[in-house]
Amino acid sequence: MSALFSPLSIGKLQLPNRIVIAPMCQYSAEAGCASDWHLIHLGQLAQSGAGLLIIEATAVVPEGRITAGDLGLYSDEAEAALGRVLTAVRRYSAMPIGIQLGHAGRKASSQSPWDGGALLAPEEGGWQTVAPSAIPHAPDELPPVALDEAGLDRVRDAFVDAARRAARLGP
């Protein structure tokens, strides 16, 4: 038998096989909240027979979203919306579900890929980006605000808060 279809243990997590569905940005959230699209998308993938499903890059703060359509896990509303989706998915699938937490830094505040993916200035519906330095993602784009130590601490703490929210949502 191929190793691909053999069980795998990752710590306490027992997977029936080694097929992992990688996170896929869907750009379909509403103000950071999972939508019915996520219910359909994740529900379908959870029926695939893979060993593990990983939810798309999920922002830990609103300004850390790649696009306005990115999923977030930085508010009670975002947690509740994702919880609704996961509760429904888990009614029909026992597949373990992970999540990719992220912060887009200088790549944040961008158009969706199908709209070109370029950085959006605040006057175009974007927001001020933040990053470890003020170096722009591309030479013709607005530079991010360089995070000082307190700013870096806020981002770190946002990762911790989002991880706690994810833990409340279950495995």
Side-chain angles (χ1 to χ4, degrees):
M1 173 161 90
S2 168
L4 181 63
F5 299 107
S6 62
L8 175 67
S9 297
I10 304 172
K12 295 179 183 179
L13 182 62
Q14 302 294 315
L15 303 181
N17 61 59
R18 296 162 187 248
I19 300 170
V20 177
I21 301 170
M24 297 173 252
C25 288
Q26 294 297 296
Y27 309 110
S28 298
E30 298 165 4
C33 295
S35 66
D36 287 345
W37 169 255
H38 293 91
L39 178 62
I40 294 166
H41 175 69
L42 296 173
Q44 174 201 13
L45 293 173
Q47 295 297 313
S48 69
L52 175 65
L53 167 60
I54 303 176
I55 296 172
E56 67 192 86
T58 302
V60 299
V61 291
E63 66 274 14
R65 294 172 298 157
I66 301 165
T67 75
D70 279 19
L71 194 58
L73 197 50
Y74 45 72
S75 68
D76 293 343
E77 295 79 17
E79 181 180 348
L82 187 55
R84 176 187 72 88
V85 168
L86 293 175
T87 296
V89 169
R90 288 182 177 129
R91 277 185 67 198
Y92 301 100
S93 175
M95 181 183 292
I97 301 172
I99 190 165
Q100 179 187 23
L101 298 177
H103 188 293
R106 69 188 82 257
K107 295 182 181 181
S109 188
S110 295
Q111 297 172 327
S112 296
W114 49 83
D115 290 326
L119 184 83
L120 288 170
E123 60 271 12
E124 299 170 314
W127 52 89
Q128 177 61 60
T129 60
V130 297
S133 72
I135 300 169
H137 178 243
D140 59 334
E141 293 181 345
L142 295 173
V145 169
L147 292 167
D148 58 11
E149 188 171 343
L152 291 169
D153 288 347
R154 281 191 302 276
V155 172
R156 180 204 57 215
D157 293 347
F159 271 93
V160 171
D161 291 343
R164 287 183 175 134
R165 289 179 184 280
R168 285 195 295 262
L169 295 173

